[in-house]
Amino acid sequence: MGLSDDIKSTVIEAYVEKREALKRFLVARFRDEEIAEDIIQEMYLRLNRSSFDQEITNPAAFLYRIASNMALDHRRGRLRRSARDKDWSDVNHNTVCGEPVLDQPDADAALDAKKKVARIVAALDGLPPQCRKVFIAHKFEGLTHRKVAEKFRISRSTVEKHMAKALKYLVHHLKDED
């Protein structure tokens, strides 16, 4: 057994002896026994993997210094994760008055919306073919009135008339189903 192994053995013995006191020290820092236990376990693993090339005159102080450093590392990591999660949330979620707003409706609202779209699509079958094509191009494909007119080689006013006719028909037809 070499000097490094002797030092490691001394440090591990001090760890076993001081384990509960170290845990209380960490619980006092975090007010969370699980975090303290995780750090204590990680501390043992690090000590066991380490090789010691210098004599440690006060193993207890050495262990408290390691526990303190690991606690600081844990706290910094938690703050980094929190900041990263907040940044991600800020970019990927909408807020209203500082409160997060879901980007997607709940399951009931989504089902209701699908049913309404299905009723609209079914109702479109009652429209004349050209009127239906104009409505679908504008409302479902997202084309502007000008683009719809170009696509079907009709005037913008004809597109507007088809849209008015389709909307009037749908309002009347869907009102009867409610």
Side-chain angles (χ1 to χ4, degrees):
M1 221 167 137
L3 177 64
S4 176
D5 292 333
D6 288 341
I7 297 170
K8 181 188 280 190
S9 177
T10 302
V11 170
I12 296 291
E13 284 175 24
Y15 168 85
V16 170
E17 181 184 317
K18 298 287 186 187
R19 186 181 192 288
E20 288 305 312
L22 288 165
K23 185 175 174 182
R24 284 192 303 274
F25 170 74
L26 292 169
V27 167
R29 287 253 169 120
F30 289 102
R31 306 276 189 254
D32 188 323
E33 197 163 327
E34 287 181 30
I35 292 173
E37 184 64 37
D38 289 345
I39 293 172
I40 288 292
Q41 289 177 13
E42 178 64 26
M43 187 175 163
Y44 176 79
L45 293 174
R46 286 187 187 180
L47 290 170
N48 203 30
R49 286 189 305 249
S50 297
S51 58
F52 297 91
D53 56 357
Q54 292 182 9
E55 186 68 34
I56 296 173
T57 57
N58 188 343
F62 176 73
L63 292 172
Y64 277 97
R65 171 55 60 195
I66 290 173
S68 181
N69 288 343
M70 289 180 73
L72 186 58
D73 289 346
H74 178 81
R75 183 168 279 125
R76 285 179 183 155
R78 193 169 59 189
L79 290 172
R80 278 192 306 273
R81 281 188 302 278
S82 178
R84 182 187 63 234
D85 291 349
K86 182 185 179 318
D87 290 344
W88 182 87
S89 180
D90 289 348
V91 169
N92 292 298
H93 293 88
N94 295 322
T95 58
V96 174
C97 298
E99 293 296 319
V101 178
L102 293 177
D103 291 339
Q104 297 183 358
D106 63 13
D108 290 336
L111 183 61
D112 288 344
K114 284 183 180 182
K115 286 179 181 177
K116 285 178 183 177
V117 169
R119 287 182 19 219
I120 291 169
V121 169
L124 290 176
D125 290 337
L127 290 172
Q130 184 71 12
C131 185
R132 181 175 53 249
K133 288 178 190 174
V134 167
F135 183 84
I136 289 171
H138 179 62
K139 291 296 184 182
F140 291 118
E141 295 173 19
L143 299 178
T144 63
H145 285 193
R146 184 175 59 78
K147 292 285 187 187
V148 172
E150 291 172 6
K151 179 177 181 175
F152 295 113
R153 296 188 175 118
I154 57 177
S155 69
R156 270 185 75 184
S157 67
T158 303
V159 170
E160 291 168 2
K161 287 176 186 170
H162 283 308
M163 287 302 299
K165 182 177 183 175
L167 290 171
K168 184 176 179 182
Y169 172 81
L170 289 172
V171 166
H172 178 72
H173 183 76
L174 296 175
K175 178 181 69 165
D176 293 341
E177 289 186 11
D178 286 338

